[in-house]
Amino acid sequence: MGTLVRGRRGAVAAALAAALGAGMAPTAAWAAAGPADGAGRTSKSAARDDGWRGDGLELGAADNSAVDAFLKQAEQAEKEISPRVRAAAVLSEAELIGFDQRLKSPDSLKRKVATSMKETPGQTVNQALDTMKDSVRYTLQWPDGKYTTGVTLAASLLSAWGDDSVKWSNTWDRPKGYKGINSAWREPRWGHAYEVQFHTPASKKAQLDTHRIYEEQRLPGTPPERVKELQAQQDAIFAAVPVPAGAAGLAAPGSRVPAGLSQPVPVPPPGAPAATKMPVG
């Protein structure tokens, strides 16, 4: 790993310094145009003073306000997270897929929260929000031959730069269903969780090909017989995905800093107000 890191360091040192250096907004050099400031993120379902409704689900006014506050925090946290994820992608030679969709839409998050509360009677909105790890999300992709080394390096960098690994779901060794690694991390400034998926081109394509199937499967009104049929369709698609050498053994990283790299945790601009964490859970 030391050789790989040293080979990448020179090419990105200036960009890392510009993006993560003291006294500069961390997204200045790295964050591409996209919905980072919430533009164009209005809900297409019924978001009114008395709550939110969509797809047969609903949130009351207070619960809807709590989700809106969580979404606002996600937008603020994204400014801290994206520079590190983009730097990890460059250093590990990953392709960063779908960066413009890194913020989950209000409708999608509210639908997910409402579904969670409906399926778990007595669950509060804050308890539901505490399980939401993908309000900010990224996908890193490598060719099969570079996948295991790339995942190891990218995850090690995120850990070394101060983000805590809070979930690591490696499904490469499962005989049926989804193939890939879904990880979740908690950034230190806001305490906000975010998701990073690690894919190969084939596993990402399978995910995209099964998305509509998955969405139908997870709707509360989908009959059990149809759920089984949809699962069988997904299993068949993922069964055709090759498993990269060593992928099944990939585990969450330790905290060791890769050789020769410092810890580029973003520093707030001078005079910036202290961050406060929104209580969740």
Side-chain angles (χ1 to χ4, degrees):
M1 181 182 298
T3 301
L4 180 60
V5 171
R6 286 192 295 271
R8 310 292 175 264
R9 192 186 309 126
V12 298
L16 283 171
L20 300 170
M24 293 184 63
T27 52
W30 283 94
D37 294 322
R41 285 165 47 77
T42 56
S43 172
K44 64 182 179 182
S45 295
R48 310 183 313 193
D49 291 342
D50 59 345
W52 171 92
R53 294 177 180 83
D55 292 335
L57 300 163
E58 62 181 70
L59 294 170
D63 291 346
N64 187 54
S65 293
V67 179
D68 284 338
F70 186 85
L71 285 163
K72 183 63 176 178
Q73 186 188 79
E75 293 174 1
Q76 294 168 321
E78 182 273 330
K79 295 177 174 63
E80 306 290 330
I81 300 164
S82 285
R84 295 194 290 277
V85 173
R86 298 194 73 178
V90 171
L91 286 164
S92 65
E93 296 189 318
E95 183 178 358
L96 185 55
I97 305 294
F99 185 70
D100 287 349
Q101 287 76 51
R102 62 195 178 277
L103 286 169
K104 198 174 188 72
S105 72
D107 257 351
S108 182
L109 184 64
K110 290 177 182 183
R111 188 180 301 111
K112 192 172 182 179
V113 170
T115 298
S116 178
M117 294 175 69
K118 182 174 182 177
E119 293 177 346
T120 311
Q123 185 182 59
T124 68
V125 68
N126 279 347
Q127 289 171 336
L129 286 170
D130 200 37
T131 69
M132 302 294 144
K133 303 295 192 291
D134 63 346
S135 58
V136 186
R137 68 275 178 93
Y138 308 87
T139 297
L140 301 187
Q141 176 179 290
W142 297 265
D144 288 23
K146 294 185 177 181
Y147 181 82
T148 300
T149 301
V151 171
T152 300
L153 178 55
S156 295
L157 289 168
L158 293 175
S159 177
W161 291 341
D163 293 356
D164 292 328
S165 174
V166 296
K167 174 188 173 184
W168 187 271
S169 177
N170 184 342
T171 58
W172 282 109
D173 62 347
R174 292 184 183 175
K176 294 182 179 181
Y178 181 87
K179 294 290 192 298
I181 296 176
N182 285 8
S183 66
W185 306 77
R186 195 174 300 279
E187 58 82 30
R189 185 181 185 193
W190 296 94
H192 197 91
Y194 67 96
E195 178 184 80
V196 182
Q197 296 184 7
F198 300 119
H199 277 291
T200 66
S203 67
K204 183 60 181 177
K205 183 178 185 303
Q207 182 193 48
L208 294 175
D209 289 345
T210 58
H211 180 70
R212 290 182 182 275
I213 301 173
Y214 171 74
E215 288 296 316
E216 180 182 351
Q217 183 187 35
R218 66 192 290 269
L219 288 174
T222 304
E225 298 79 9
R226 178 60 175 164
V227 169
K228 291 179 63 176
E229 178 183 337
L230 294 169
Q231 186 60 57
Q233 293 177 25
Q234 293 182 71
D235 291 345
I237 293 172
F238 280 112
V241 175
V243 179
L250 289 170
S255 58
R256 184 178 67 83
V257 179
L261 287 181
S262 58
Q263 187 173 352
V265 176
V267 179
T276 56
K277 300 178 183 179
M278 187 187 79
V280 177

